[in-house]
Amino acid sequence: MSDHISDINRADTLFRKVVEAAPNAMVMVDKSGLIEMVNTQAENIFGYSRSELLGQPIDCLLPERFRHQHPHHRDSFFSDLQPRAMGVGRDLFGRRKDGSEFPVEVGLNPIETEDGIKVLSAITDISERVKANIKLVEHHKELERSNKELATFAYVASHDLKSPLRGIFQISQWIEEDLRNSASASIPAHMNLLRGRLNRMEHLLDDLLAYSRAGRLEGGLSQIDLGILAKNIFEMQAPPDGFKLLLANDLPIFTTLATPLEQVLRNLFTNAIKHHDRKVGTIKLDCERKDKYHYEFSVTDDGPGIPSEYHERVFVMFQTLRPRDEVEGSGMGLALVKKIVETYGGHASIVSTGIRGTSIRFTWPIKVEGKVHIANTPEKL
Amino acid sequence: MQIPQKNYREVTLLVVDDDDIDTIALERALRKLKLLNTIYRARDGQEALDKLRSGSIPEPYIILLDLNMPRMGGLEFLQVLRTDPLLTHAVVFVLTTSKSDEDLVAAYRKHIAGYILKQHMDRDFLEVIGLIEHYWRLVELPVSKD
């Protein structure tokens, strides 16, 4: 008789040792859900000492909103005692002593003991896994967006870039013909056209690359004085003599991603100068507090204006309002501005009657967040 | 009965294209074929409509229309053209780089005389112009009786 009892004691001790040594948190409850045994890991992840847990209902380890369902789940487990994962298809949460919650995975095992059937649950804190999954989903979205952009690029490249190539081909034929016919008078003009097309192609490619990189080469956060920044950018454009920049008095000094903001301003200034129809012009930079989190900046010129029917079109890649043979431009400037601004959660819009003057407005976050990016540097070939 | 003198040299060409090189290519091709037709030029659909409506394009005329132009493209132009009772009869050949099926169908829906790809750059281009020349030599074109 005493052998039998000491066997039981030995088995019992071994069992407790195994549970204690388990890498997961282990909690054993009886049929009514009262905690009979916990291990150190359980104490750690829930933040209780075992004396606080033993004899307590298991529901104290659940967030309050799940407690009313739990007795029902326990009953159904006991009606069909199979080892299984708890709550398949549901998100499970545990509740720590301090009231904070964390996502968990729970495995349930029925144990037959002399005192009746107990349930041993193995509990794993899956916070890290959940975080990693969220990151994975974000990356996936970014990848999709990147692929879509690549497809657009390929389509655009096959169209808009072929056009100057065709022109160059034709001109080369004319020069050949004219030389053959000794009709060389038009050759210098044709050569200029040829070079013009070559330049155009180069600019298109540069702008296309800039567009694809827009919103990615962030540089870092730095404190900028917007007025000084704008003045520098304007001067770097080497504007023609009659053009000047008017800065509002209340332009902010704030910490932001300077590189993309510079790109936006640079493109807007370039556009305003390039599309101006007079020898003299004024470009204004103003700032408004749009809402709690955003500034609204506007770059306003006194050029020819853009009629309202074109207000959406001008933001599309490669769309120009004037023929390229009149005003050289890739048509990418505003598309680039839109892309950068939207990357940081802002919005770009135009105000223009079409008679005189254009104002491009864009919102910019007061406290900007850098974005997660898939690596954007090309393979070294 | 007076048989109207059909002098094919009198057909005016209205070229609607924003690209200077393509326009020069057309002029050179006409010259090569020794065709003396007067060419009018518009750089986009809107300019073409303005010129047509102001009466500055003498009839009979044939329109050679590009599709990809700023401000108002070829398809938009056709839309407006066909709904204007004074212009709806115009004969239009589309001369474009676009191989897109959608553009093709959309243009024919607006009752163009033909859709021609500009890519046929060398000899073929002369044939294209030759085709258009044959067209206006053999075909009666509408002229408004005012």
Side-chain angles (χ1 to χ4, degrees):
Chain A
M1 183 67 170
S2 59
D3 275 345
H4 178 63
I5 293 176
S6 66
D7 276 345
I8 292 174
N9 281 339
R10 252 203 310 272
D12 192 56
T13 312
L14 184 60
F15 175 69
R16 285 177 189 276
K17 276 192 180 159
V18 166
V19 168
E20 185 58 43
N24 303 29
M26 304 279 251
V27 176
M28 189 166 84
V29 299
D30 68 11
K31 200 162 178 196
S32 58
L34 294 177
I35 299 175
E36 288 201 354
M37 182 162 63
V38 297
N39 67 359
T40 308
Q41 270 296 76
E43 291 180 302
N44 288 341
I45 70 169
F46 286 103
Y48 288 102
S49 68
R50 66 188 70 199
S51 56
E52 290 172 300
L53 289 175
L54 296 175
Q56 297 302 318
I58 182 90
D59 291 351
C60 73
L61 298 178
L62 297 176
E64 283 180 26
R65 61 188 182 282
F66 298 124
R67 288 181 192 170
H68 69 283
Q69 279 279 18
H70 201 227
H72 169 73
H73 292 310
R74 271 187 275 122
D75 286 343
S76 53
F77 183 77
F78 273 94
S79 65
D80 177 19
L81 287 165
Q82 301 273 358
R84 57 173 178 266
M86 175 172 145
V88 172
R90 286 185 284 135
D91 287 334
L92 303 175
F93 292 90
R95 183 186 181 283
R96 296 192 190 93
K97 182 175 177 181
D98 65 9
S100 61
E101 294 181 11
F102 58 104
V104 294
E105 223 170 54
V106 182
L108 302 171
N109 281 277
I111 310 261
E112 267 188 43
T113 74
E114 287 193 326
D115 300 324
I117 308 223
K118 316 286 180 189
V119 180
L120 185 65
S121 40
I123 304 167
T124 315
D125 179 343
I126 57 170
S127 311
E128 286 308 310
R129 199 195 310 169
V130 167
K131 245 189 260 171
N133 204 32
I134 292 177
K135 252 205 173 146
L136 206 63
V137 167
E138 256 179 40
H139 269 220
H140 182 83
K141 268 200 239 160
E142 172 73 10
L143 202 62
E144 268 185 1
R145 199 200 54 78
S146 195
N147 280 348
K148 196 157 176 232
E149 201 171 84
L150 193 64
T152 307
F153 175 97
Y155 176 84
V156 154
S158 86
H159 267 251
D160 291 77
L161 295 178
K162 264 202 201 160
S163 166
L165 279 181
R166 223 169 27 84
I168 294 167
F169 184 93
Q170 286 177 89
I171 295 176
S172 70
Q173 285 188 310
W174 304 341
I175 293 175
E176 197 179 29
E177 280 169 14
D178 289 348
L179 283 173
R180 221 182 313 133
N181 301 334
S182 308
S184 53
S186 52
I187 289 181
H190 290 164
M191 283 298 197
N192 274 334
L193 268 179
L194 186 89
R195 278 187 287 267
R197 285 302 195 268
L198 286 164
N199 280 332
R200 184 181 296 178
M201 247 205 108
E202 195 173 356
H203 283 135
L204 279 177
L205 285 168
D206 283 343
D207 285 351
L208 201 54
L209 185 63
Y211 181 84
S212 103
R213 283 182 169 171
R216 292 169 184 255
L217 293 180
E218 291 181 336
L221 290 168
S222 51
Q223 202 192 43
I224 56 154
D225 178 333
L226 191 63
I228 297 181
L229 187 77
K231 198 153 156 291
N232 286 340
I233 295 173
F234 186 75
E235 271 155 29
M236 270 211 299
Q237 302 291 303
D241 282 327
F243 283 81
K244 63 180 199 295
L245 177 68
L246 268 183
L247 299 168
N249 290 332
D250 57 353
L251 295 178
I253 300 177
F254 68 124
T255 303
T256 190
L257 294 168
T259 305
L261 185 56
E262 266 177 52
Q263 266 187 308
V264 170
L265 288 175
R266 203 179 320 127
N267 272 280
L268 292 178
F269 290 163
T270 305
N271 264 12
I273 297 172
K274 187 188 328 194
H275 292 284
H276 213 288
D277 53 350
R278 297 178 178 157
K279 293 234 164 52
V280 191
T282 307
I283 301 173
K284 291 195 288 177
L285 177 61
D286 294 289
C287 174
E288 239 182 56
R289 190 68 179 262
K290 170 92 181 196
D291 58 42
K292 194 158 161 218
Y293 303 105
H294 295 96
Y295 291 119
E296 187 175 64
F297 299 118
S298 45
V299 174
T300 311
D301 65 58
D302 53 2
I306 301 176
S308 56
E309 56 262 34
Y310 304 116
H311 283 189
E312 273 192 43
R313 198 167 160 159
V314 288
F315 281 114
V316 175
M317 269 210 296
F318 289 114
Q319 286 300 314
T320 60
L321 281 184
R322 306 229 46 75
R324 289 206 178 83
D325 286 318
E326 266 185 38
V327 178
E328 272 297 340
S330 60
M332 291 296 281
L334 284 177
L336 194 76
V337 162
K338 180 169 190 260
K339 187 181 179 199
I340 295 176
V341 160
E342 285 177 0
T343 302
Y344 299 106
H347 177 69
S349 59
I350 305 183
V351 176
S352 178
T353 54
I355 303 175
R356 174 77 20 206
T358 307
S359 180
I360 312 285
R361 316 230 158 130
F362 63 99
T363 54
W364 192 264
I366 298 178
K367 275 213 175 76
V368 75
E369 274 171 32
K371 295 285 164 194
V372 172
H373 290 308
I374 307 267
N376 191 41
T377 46
E379 293 272 9
K380 292 241 185 294
L381 291 169
Chain B
M1 182 170 69
Q2 261 216 322
I3 298 168
Q5 237 340 357
K6 192 174 50 179
N7 187 346
Y8 63 80
R9 285 201 215 110
E10 285 179 4
V11 170
T12 313
L13 291 177
L14 171 60
V15 174
V16 189
D17 197 326
D18 65 321
D19 190 310
D20 282 348
I21 293 185
D22 285 340
T23 307
I24 297 177
L26 201 68
E27 285 167 358
R28 289 177 69 100
L30 287 166
R31 238 181 294 143
K32 261 210 208 131
L33 293 172
K34 310 235 190 306
L35 298 169
L36 306 170
N37 306 70
T38 322
I39 302 178
Y40 289 79
R41 165 92 184 276
R43 292 198 134 138
D44 58 42
Q46 190 56 55
E47 199 183 326
L49 285 171
D50 295 340
K51 289 199 153 125
L52 286 164
R53 282 170 174 159
S54 71
S56 51
I57 316 282
E59 286 179 309
Y61 56 76
I62 290 183
I63 302 177
L64 301 180
L65 178 69
D66 185 17
L67 292 186
N68 292 321
M69 297 177 288
R71 208 159 58 131
M72 183 192 271
L75 291 173
E76 278 178 80
F77 165 81
L78 279 169
Q79 174 70 28
V80 178
L81 188 82
R82 293 302 179 216
T83 53
D84 184 332
L86 293 174
L87 302 177
T88 185
H89 58 271
V91 172
V92 180
F93 283 89
V94 163
L95 225 59
T96 180
T97 52
S98 170
K99 291 190 194 159
S100 138
D101 277 336
E102 286 144 357
D103 282 346
L104 186 78
V105 169
Y108 275 110
R109 281 225 158 95
K110 305 271 184 292
H111 312 299
I112 54 171
Y115 189 101
I116 301 167
L117 291 177
K118 280 186 195 174
Q119 279 87 328
H120 306 158
M121 287 181 265
D122 33 31
R123 257 173 339 178
D124 288 4
F125 193 58
L126 277 184
E127 287 199 31
V128 166
I129 303 302
L131 162 75
I132 298 177
E133 188 235 352
H134 276 107
Y135 183 93
W136 79 61
R137 273 215 257 157
L138 298 171
V139 160
E140 297 292 334
L141 290 172
V143 175
S144 331
K145 310 262 178 272
D146 279 327

